Amino acid sequence: AADLHAWVLALHAYTEAAAEFNEALGKVAASPVISVVCRCVCDFLDLNTDADLNSLIHVAATARQAAEGGAEPVAYDSAEGSADESKLQRIRQCVTMMETDIRYSKAEHKRQRDQLEYRVDDLSSDHRPVFERLCRNPEQIENDKLASNAITFVIKAFDLLDAGHGRSDDKESTTEQFKKILGFQNDKLSDQGFSVFQKRAHELTDHVASQRLMGSPEGLEVQALIRMSNRVKNEYEVALRNESSVMKQYDPALPFLAQWVKGLGGYLQKSDEHRRKQEELDALKKNRDLLQKKLDEDLERTHAAELRRLPKDVSDVQLLEVKKQLRARAQAGVPHTAIVVSLQLTRNVDKTLALLEHLPAAMQALEHLAEPTRLAGIHPNSIKARNYVRVSDRLKAPDVLPAAARVGAEARQHLSVKTRA
């Protein structure tokens, strides 16, 4: 009986002490000075947010207690999951960079296309007599690398335009094949024949510009045209440096051919590069989607296991949506407990995400609030000027200024005594 009586007295004393503690805790929590001090600490740590700071600190404290007590449920943080998350993030970054590159490439491609169409418009009746002279001197065409390669390019390109796929008559000389394209007959180039050549030149340019000359089975022939165009480009530069007599003799016809072929080949090459980039981007996106699907399935399995521990006032649909959004933002490491508590407070996916965005800073602020001596480790230069102003304004509030002044005076007095000592 005596032991039982002692136990009742001890229990009563504990109950009274607990009540007093809770009452004192409530008074401290309600104290405007303590509240301002806490906010000042958060300001020093750059935790300036429109989110509810009290809720944010509460979420951080709950997550910290769960982690310290070993009560944190197994979240989506396995080694394999983390590796997949990192891989997915890298793929997303690559996709973004490639999309930007392709977007700029398309803009450059359009300018190149405009230049190409503008170039073929230069082909006029003034060129006809010069092309006629060129056809009458086959030896110069065959012996001059620039003329020979430029004309061979035109022959092969027109062959592709006609869907011949390399069916041009190789038994005929380059000059004879070019004469047929120009409509050169009976030792003359008629206005009608040259007009047909002009029309066909515009048609070829349009096919190249619209990329209708690309793709299988023309792919190999197109690659050959690109290589031939690069040779023409180099030979044209050499001819300009050496002031080629052949190019001067057949000006403006031969310079036009060289520049037109350069433009056609350059556009074909850029189109091919763009096509390859697009294929790489499509492959990356496919890998991204497959990895995303795998991670979604893993998350669904983890989520199913967590449902057994989920509080009744938290929606499992909202919990899953928050986790998916966090993963998409590369924040998959947010503790499960923090997400659950945030949802209990907000009951809203968007508000929860806004709260959790500042959780790392809140965890850091919580460490300093729990152990104020940590504030001594904050270097003044690391504090942003706007946060100094924010803290100063808080401490000047009418209900805080007297206490702040008293603490400041005590600190200065303590420093003075310490200095004299």
Side-chain angles (χ1 to χ4, degrees), residues 34-263:
I34 292 297
S35 177
V36 169
V37 168
C38 290
R39 288 187 174 274
C40 287
V41 171
C42 293
D43 287 332
F44 279 138
L45 296 170
D46 202 30
L47 184 59
N48 302 319
T49 170
D50 294 331
D52 184 353
L53 187 58
N54 291 335
S55 297
L56 187 55
I57 295 297
H58 174 63
V59 171
T62 305
R64 181 183 179 185
Q65 289 173 359
E68 290 176 349
E72 179 66 23
V74 177
Y76 186 73
D77 60 355
S78 65
E80 181 182 359
S82 299
D84 286 341
E85 288 286 356
S86 300
K87 183 178 179 181
L88 180 60
Q89 186 63 19
R90 290 195 299 271
I91 291 177
R92 283 178 180 150
Q93 291 172 348
C94 288
V95 166
T96 300
M97 288 188 292
M98 288 195 69
E99 285 177 336
T100 302
D101 184 34
I102 288 176
R103 186 166 59 251
Y104 283 117
S105 178
K106 282 182 177 179
E108 179 61 31
H109 215 198
K110 185 180 183 303
R111 286 192 291 270
Q112 197 174 4
R113 173 175 179 162
D114 293 341
Q115 293 173 355
L116 182 59
E117 292 173 343
Y118 177 78
R119 173 63 60 193
V120 77
D121 287 339
D122 287 344
L123 183 61
S124 66
S125 56
D126 294 339
H127 293 75
R128 187 193 62 77
V130 185
F131 274 115
E132 187 175 70
R133 281 193 290 112
L134 192 61
C135 290
R136 287 173 180 162
N137 295 277
E139 298 83 6
Q140 288 186 315
I141 292 178
E142 301 292 342
N143 294 330
D144 186 80
K145 288 184 177 181
L146 175 61
S148 177
N149 283 325
I151 290 172
T152 300
F153 178 98
V154 173
I155 293 170
K156 299 296 184 184
F158 274 119
D159 190 42
L160 281 183
L161 180 64
D162 296 333
H165 309 311
R167 295 174 188 168
S168 56
D169 192 350
D170 293 332
K171 295 180 180 179
E172 291 183 326
S173 66
T174 301
T175 307
E176 292 302 319
Q177 294 180 65
F178 189 54
K179 286 179 181 179
K180 288 182 179 180
I181 291 174
L182 287 172
F184 183 86
Q185 293 178 340
N186 301 322
D187 202 40
K188 63 180 295 186
L189 178 57
S190 66
D191 290 339
Q192 182 180 359
F194 188 72
S195 178
V196 171
F197 172 66
Q198 284 180 294
K199 182 179 178 181
R200 300 249 299 151
H202 279 84
E203 186 181 359
L204 175 61
T205 301
D206 181 63
H207 271 66
V208 170
S210 59
Q211 300 183 38
R212 282 179 284 170
L213 209 65
M214 301 291 289
S216 180
E218 299 94 342
L220 293 176
E221 284 83 355
V222 168
Q223 295 301 319
L225 286 178
I226 292 173
R227 291 192 295 271
M228 198 178 302
S229 170
N230 288 331
R231 288 198 295 270
V232 170
K233 176 184 176 181
N234 294 334
E235 289 155 3
Y236 179 62
E237 292 173 355
V238 171
L240 287 175
R241 285 198 302 269
N242 297 338
E243 298 182 351
S244 167
S245 59
V246 176
M247 192 163 67
K248 288 181 179 180
Q249 183 179 352
Y250 295 105
D251 185 35
L254 189 54
F256 164 80
L257 275 182
Q259 293 178 38
W260 183 44
V261 166
K262 274 175 51 184

Side-chain angles (χ1 to χ4, degrees), residues 299-328:
L299 182 59
E300 291 280 3
R301 284 193 294 271
T302 303
H303 183 66
E306 292 170 349
L307 290 182
R308 295 189 297 272
R309 298 184 294 269
L310 197 64
K312 293 181 179 180
D313 58 344
V314 175
S315 165
D316 61 322
V317 175
Q318 287 185 330
L319 177 64
L320 183 59
E321 180 60 27
V322 168
K323 289 202 170 188
K324 286 184 177 180
Q325 291 285 344
L326 288 173
R327 190 185 58 214

